[in-house]
Amino acid sequence: MPTYPQILAGRSVTAALLDAMIPNVVTKAATQTVNNSTTLVNDDSLFVPVEAGGVYEVTAWIVHSSQTAGDIAIGWSGPSGSTMTWGVQGPAASATAASDSAANFQQRSISQTAGLGGGAGTAVCTDARGVLTVGSMSGLLRMRWAQNTANASDTQVLGGSHLRVKRIA
């Protein structure tokens, strides 16, 4: 199985070759808030460019909080023609304590969302992982999110959350 980037004997080591080996990591600096809405919004920070024809390993560490029953729904968008299988592990939807968790790595597609608990006022962490296969158009892979249940209280994705994307083919 070839690896990305493929390095053949005699190939010169260039800055572009070395850059292709490094994962693209973005970290959220500021907290973003959604309230009273189940409509997914693009995260302000958690997005990266991806290349046409590429296959990427995706990992997101999402620190989030909800004051009450709003919880959080997480999803993705990518360039037209992209496919992605992914899953999450985090607090159960409607969790009443930060310690209520659910190991839920149910396979989802790029167009599906995952509903998770918000920690009832205490920040909690969710681990999302997947593999993105980009079609014939390059563009952005974006984390999208909203409240899982519309609620007048705030649901937030906090600073310190990060997205890591590594091209693997």
Side-chain angles (χ1 to χ4, degrees):
M1 175 179 204
T3 58
Y4 181 86
Q6 187 173 14
I7 303 171
L8 303 173
R11 184 171 180 186
S12 297
V13 175
T14 64
L17 176 63
L18 294 173
D19 282 346
M21 300 168 133
I22 299 171
N24 192 346
V25 180
V26 292
T27 301
K28 190 170 188 63
T31 296
Q32 184 177 345
T33 301
V34 167
N35 60 31
N36 210 26
S37 178
T38 58
T39 301
L40 294 177
V41 298
N42 291 334
D43 189 273
D44 291 342
S45 304
L46 301 179
F47 61 91
V48 294
V50 290
E51 297 177 10
V55 179
Y56 296 84
E57 176 183 69
V58 178
T59 304
W61 184 250
I62 306 158
V63 184
H64 56 95
S65 176
S66 292
Q67 295 301 313
T68 57
D71 292 337
I72 192 168
I74 296 170
W76 301 92
S77 69
S80 179
S82 296
T83 61
M84 183 174 171
T85 55
W86 66 284
V88 294
Q89 180 174 355
S94 301
T96 57
S99 60
D100 293 343
S101 65
N104 181 2
F105 271 104
Q106 171 187 337
Q107 180 177 324
R108 291 173 172 80
S109 70
I110 196 167
S111 63
Q112 295 175 305
T113 60
L116 300 155
T122 302
V124 292
C125 299
T126 292
D127 181 20
R129 297 172 185 257
V131 175
L132 171 73
T133 302
V134 183
S136 61
M137 298 181 65
S138 58
L140 294 175
L141 171 67
R142 281 191 182 275
M143 191 190 95
R144 297 171 47 82
W145 61 278
Q147 288 184 316
N148 196 44
T149 303
N151 189 284
S153 65
D154 291 344
T155 295
Q156 299 178 315
V157 173
L158 284 68
S161 299
H162 68 268
L163 172 62
R164 177 187 183 273
V165 177
K166 168 80 171 104
R167 186 161 180 180
I168 55 175

